[in-house]
Amino acid sequence: MSSAQQLLLTALRCDIDNLHHLATTADIVSDISQFIHVLQRERGASTIYLASKGKRFKTRRATYLQHSQAAEASMRQRLEALSQESRPQATARLLRRIAAVWLSLDELDVLRHAIETFNISPDAATQAFNHLISSLLAIVFEAADTAVDPDITRALVAIFHLMQGKELAGQERACGAFGFTLGHFDNAHRTLLNQLVDAQQRCFDTFVEFATPEALGTWQQSLSPRTLAGICQLRDIACQRSHHQTASGNTGNTLGETWYELTTLRIDTIKTVEDTLNTQLTALCHHKIVQAQAELEQTKAKPDRPLPAPCEQLLALHSTQPLGDLTANALNSPLSRSLLELTHAQSSRLQGLSDELENTRKALRERKLIERAKGLIMAHQSMSEEEAYRFLRKTSMDQSKSMADMAQSILDLSAMLQRKE
């Protein structure tokens, strides 16, 4: 077997190793998805439990806590197996993300004890859960950002934004549960509720952009207009400045129960779409592995050939034979032609994969720039997240720039001003 064939075989084996790693990553994403979902339930129940001083959701919270512990144990087992590999396929960045989450998981019992003994406020408990879930989502983002197959990268990007949108819906559930259980919304919680609604929509818009037609079909079929209408009605009530309780104090509790059930129904529906995407991602990884293995076997099956006659003739050229004939004969020999065709096919495929992957990663980088610039605008202009986004969009349109270019200009200007200070 020639060196060229050996190199091609090695490249195919590397592809297969990478795909096996992506399949493992898909399993980790699925475990994280399940753990986040039960944590979101525990967070919502804990908020009502704290806001009602333990009068409501005590049993439900205990049940959700058991579900969270079971999902955590399953996820830890998967992550431990990854950490014990002699040569882990995961990137160093991904492993660091997982290590950071591991430390946060060790603090969960402390948080739960504080909730049980009412030594933490509903808002502080929600923020603690938010921080942990954000760290878990960062693992999914890292997996999408470091994946080497464009189809799998796009699938991971779609899943990440769906999970992020669902997490924001969970935060909205907790915020609304607190306000309705308490009987009113102050300005801070009313503003937060509106911000969470807008942020969800942006996440779901990005999900739609990257999702496959099959995933979009599942998404569109799963949404319940009746449930959404009920949630929108309660959002309108939350934005009113009057209290939601009567003299008997029962109306607030009723609205809190209704809000929790409707938002939970919506979140559970999103989870079914998430599960479908995770199943499709796993199937895609294994399909890619089968394809790569078949290509590897096909390449290995090509036997070594003795030097063919056309090449032998090249070694005994007549003095009258033009140099151009030498090149033509070399390219036309069966051995050279088969290797050239194989190399060209491999090169074309790899270039196509590289282009798709770069386009996807470019979109991710641009989103990072926009988020960072939006944060600066919020800090320096005292704007809400939605106002900062609109300001950035309008400024980029006024200056005929893309939002990513405008975001980069803002970040560059900020860095320059800080140096001058």
Side-chain angles (χ1 to χ4, degrees):
M1 183 177 291
S2 70
S3 297
Q5 286 174 314
Q6 288 281 13
L7 288 169
L8 288 172
L9 289 176
T10 301
L12 286 170
R13 292 189 183 100
C14 288
D15 285 343
I16 293 171
D17 286 343
N18 286 328
L19 288 169
H20 276 296
H21 161 59
L22 288 174
T24 300
T25 301
D27 292 335
I28 291 173
V29 168
S30 181
D31 283 349
I32 289 174
S33 167
Q34 180 58 31
F35 183 44
I36 287 177
H37 186 64
V38 293
L39 270 182
Q40 289 166 338
R41 285 182 171 180
E42 183 183 350
R43 176 182 57 195
S46 297
T47 300
I48 294 179
Y49 174 79
L50 288 170
S52 65
K53 305 297 183 184
K55 296 178 181 179
R56 307 178 64 78
F57 276 38
K58 181 176 181 179
T59 302
R60 192 180 301 201
R61 174 181 169 269
T63 300
Y64 289 162
L65 191 152
Q66 292 177 351
H67 294 168
S68 294
Q69 290 172 331
E72 179 185 348
S74 176
M75 185 188 70
R76 278 182 181 268
Q77 186 176 5
R78 181 94 63 186
L79 296 180
E80 281 176 352
L82 181 66
S83 67
Q84 292 170 1
E85 289 181 359
S86 58
R87 278 198 328 161
Q89 293 292 322
T91 64
R93 284 163 50 192
L94 181 57
L95 292 174
R96 288 191 182 95
R97 289 283 191 189
I98 294 172
V101 166
W102 204 277
L103 294 174
S104 298
L105 290 175
D106 292 338
E107 299 297 322
L108 254 181
D109 287 341
V110 177
L111 171 62
R112 287 163 175 160
H113 179 71
I115 294 170
E116 184 69 30
T117 56
F118 302 102
N119 285 324
I120 190 171
S121 69
D123 281 343
T126 297
Q127 287 299 323
F129 278 111
N130 292 355
H131 178 74
L132 174 57
I133 293 173
S134 176
S135 299
L136 290 164
L137 284 170
I139 295 177
V140 181
F141 182 86
E142 200 65 56
D145 200 28
T146 56
V148 294
D149 182 278
D151 294 332
I152 295 174
T153 299
R154 290 183 68 86
L156 282 167
V157 170
I159 290 173
F160 167 75
H161 283 91
L162 183 66
M163 291 176 68
Q164 190 178 45
K166 177 169 157 289
E167 161 57 9
L168 294 169
Q171 291 183 27
E172 182 194 9
R173 175 174 61 185
C175 178
F178 174 72
F180 283 121
T181 301
L182 198 63
H184 72 281
F185 287 80
D186 56 24
N187 288 334
H189 286 85
R190 197 179 298 117
T191 300
L192 176 60
L193 201 68
N194 287 324
Q195 290 174 348
L196 290 171
V197 172
D198 292 336
Q200 283 174 64
Q201 190 56 52
R202 289 198 295 275
C203 287
F204 294 140
D205 287 344
T206 304
F207 156 73
V208 169
E209 179 183 348
F210 283 91
T212 62
E214 294 80 9
L216 287 178
T218 304
W219 169 255
Q220 291 165 356
Q221 292 171 9
S222 66
L223 298 178
S224 169
R226 184 175 179 180
T227 300
L228 291 176
I231 292 172
C232 288
Q233 184 177 2
L234 287 174
R235 284 171 177 168
D236 292 339
I237 294 174
C239 289
Q240 298 172 5
R241 295 184 178 275
S242 59
H243 282 221
H244 312 301
Q245 58 186 18
T246 61
S248 62
N250 291 327
T251 304
N253 288 339
T254 301
L255 288 178
E257 288 275 359
T258 303
W259 167 264
Y260 186 87
E261 297 304 330
L262 284 175
T263 51
T264 296
L265 183 60
R266 177 180 177 233
I267 291 169
D268 288 348
T269 300
I270 297 173
K271 181 63 169 66
T272 61
V273 180
E274 203 173 284
D275 290 342
T276 300
L277 292 183
N278 285 324
T279 300
Q280 291 175 350
L281 174 61
T282 299
L284 175 62
C285 289
H286 289 291
H287 175 68
K288 295 269 186 179
I289 290 171
V290 170
Q291 279 187 326
Q293 288 175 334
E295 188 174 354
L296 175 64
E297 293 303 319
Q298 184 179 7
T299 304
K300 288 166 61 178
K302 293 186 177 181
D304 289 333
R305 299 180 183 178
L307 207 60
C311 289
E312 293 174 354
Q313 292 175 1
L314 293 178
L315 300 178
L317 287 173
H318 298 292
S319 59
T320 57
Q321 188 173 7
L323 185 60
D325 289 347
L326 169 63
T327 305
N329 287 335
L331 294 175
N332 289 329
S333 74
L335 176 60
S336 298
R337 187 168 60 250
S338 62
L339 286 176
L340 284 170
E341 289 173 354
L342 185 58
T343 304
H344 178 71
Q346 283 283 89
S347 177
S348 298
R349 184 178 69 85
L350 291 173
Q351 184 60 49
L353 294 178
S354 177
D355 291 344
E356 288 187 47
L357 188 60
E358 180 55 32
N359 289 337
T360 302
R361 287 183 174 165
K362 180 182 177 183
L364 287 174
R365 288 194 298 269
E366 289 179 350
R367 293 185 195 287
K368 287 181 182 178
L369 287 174
I370 291 170
E371 289 300 316
R372 288 174 57 198
K374 193 170 61 177
L376 281 174
I377 295 171
M378 291 168 63
H380 291 284
Q381 300 296 324
S382 299
M383 292 183 176
S384 68
E385 185 178 8
E386 180 62 22
E387 290 171 338
Y389 182 81
R390 290 175 180 170
F391 174 82
L392 180 60
R393 184 174 59 184
K394 183 178 185 303
T395 305
S396 62
M397 292 175 63
D398 291 343
Q399 298 192 20
S400 299
K401 290 184 176 181
S402 69
M403 287 188 67
D405 289 341
M406 194 67 238
Q408 185 63 65
S409 298
I410 291 172
L411 294 172
D412 291 342
L413 179 61
S414 173
M416 183 180 67
L417 292 175
Q418 287 178 358
R419 285 198 299 270
K420 286 186 176 181
E421 291 174 359

